[in-house]
């Protein structure tokens, strides 16, 4: 691991949190980092709902089979894509842009001493429907993923998952 890339390798999924609130300026920094992600034709199709109310976090978690930790997190981010504001109205660009946004958000959390985990929503129809109903989302707003976040109460070590078998030079 190149030490210059240490912040990237230090990002791990964090599923346990301290009971410590996350200050508003920190949330703002994280959102700015998320919205700095690459985006096809710079359409920036993401829409992010920041959730702090414990009852709302519990309601989101109820529809995410592998997202129960969100019910114990101080903050959650629901990352959606706007089909009216994406390159060529292509769902694929929306998914790619929002995934880049989520990764930026996770890296920013980690670099600021917090931690989070990406909870998959798209393409699971039941999870999409759950979030659409819970937040009364307009037709063109597609929930892509939820990030459960807070100050870490676990410290998984940095790691590389480099696998030479998945690397190809010049040809397949
Ligand atoms: C699209 C996507 C969906 C995921 N969904 C979940 C999830 O529902 N629950 C969960 O605990 N982790 C989820 N993860 C996190 C992965 O389990 C995790 O990133 C992977 O095991 C690698 O570990 P690391 O993040 O610590 O490097 C998801 C990750 C991605 C990219």
């Amino acid at each position: 691991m190149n030490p210059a890339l240490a912040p990237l390798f230090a990002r791990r999924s964090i599923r346990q949190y301290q009971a410590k609130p996350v200050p508003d300026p920190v949330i703002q920094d994280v959102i700015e980092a998320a919205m700095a992600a690459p985006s096809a034709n710079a359409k920036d199709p993401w829409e992010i709902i920041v959730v702090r109310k414990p009852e709302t976090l519990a309601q989101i978690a109820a529809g995410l089979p592998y997202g129960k930790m969100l019910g114990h997190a101080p903050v959650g981010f629901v990352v959606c894509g706007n089909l009216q504001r994406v390159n060529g109205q292509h769902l694929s660009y929306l998914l790619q842009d929002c995934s880049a946004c989520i990764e930026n958000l996770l890296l920013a959390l980690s670099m600021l001493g917090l931690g989070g985990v990406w909870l998959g929503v798209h393409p699971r129809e039941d999870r999409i429907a759950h979030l659409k109903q819970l937040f009364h989302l307009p037709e063109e707003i597609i929930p892509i993923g939820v990030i459960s976040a807070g100050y870490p109460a676990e410290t998984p070590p940095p790691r590389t998952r480099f696998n030479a078998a998945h690397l190809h030079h010049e040809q397949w």
Side-chain angles (χ1 to χ4, degrees):
M1 281 186 266
N2 184 326
L5 299 175
L8 189 148
F9 290 111
R11 184 217 56 79
R12 295 294 312 277
S13 289
I14 300 296
R15 299 178 174 89
Q16 295 174 42
Y17 315 101
Q18 300 171 38
K20 179 178 159 186
V22 181
D24 282 339
V26 175
I27 301 272
Q28 177 65 25
D29 288 345
V30 166
I31 296 292
E32 278 189 34
M35 293 186 178
S39 161
N41 206 9
K43 294 290 188 188
D44 299 1
W46 37 71
E47 311 270 359
I48 304 174
I49 308 172
V50 180
V51 180
R52 290 172 171 284
K53 284 186 183 163
E55 58 269 32
T56 312
L57 291 168
Q59 283 175 309
I60 300 171
L64 302 179
Y66 307 105
K68 299 310 169 207
M69 70 293 279
L70 184 65
H72 310 286
V75 64
F77 304 88
V78 181
V79 177
C80 305
N82 189 334
L83 268 177
Q84 300 284 358
R85 197 178 71 243
V86 67
N87 197 27
Q89 293 198 311
H90 289 295
L91 177 64
S92 179
Y93 281 133
L94 185 148
L95 296 172
Q96 293 172 66
D97 291 6
C98 287
S99 295
C101 172
I102 293 172
E103 175 67 350
N104 265 21
L105 198 158
L106 289 170
L107 283 170
L109 287 169
S110 176
M111 292 164 86
L112 293 173
L114 290 91
V117 59
W118 181 333
L119 305 177
V121 175
H122 203 278
R124 305 286 186 179
E125 293 294 347
D126 54 334
R127 303 180 202 174
I128 294 170
H130 176 71
L131 290 172
K132 279 197 155 249
Q133 187 179 34
L134 185 60
F135 290 101
H136 307 288
L137 299 178
E139 181 106 1
E140 69 274 18
I141 305 300
I142 317 289
I144 308 303
V146 174
I147 295 92
S148 170
Y151 288 98
E154 61 174 335
T155 50
R159 66 172 178 190
T160 167
R161 301 211 301 283
F162 174 73
N163 186 338
H166 301 163
L167 176 65
H168 313 271
H169 290 288
E170 310 293 349
Q171 59 184 358
W172 184 253

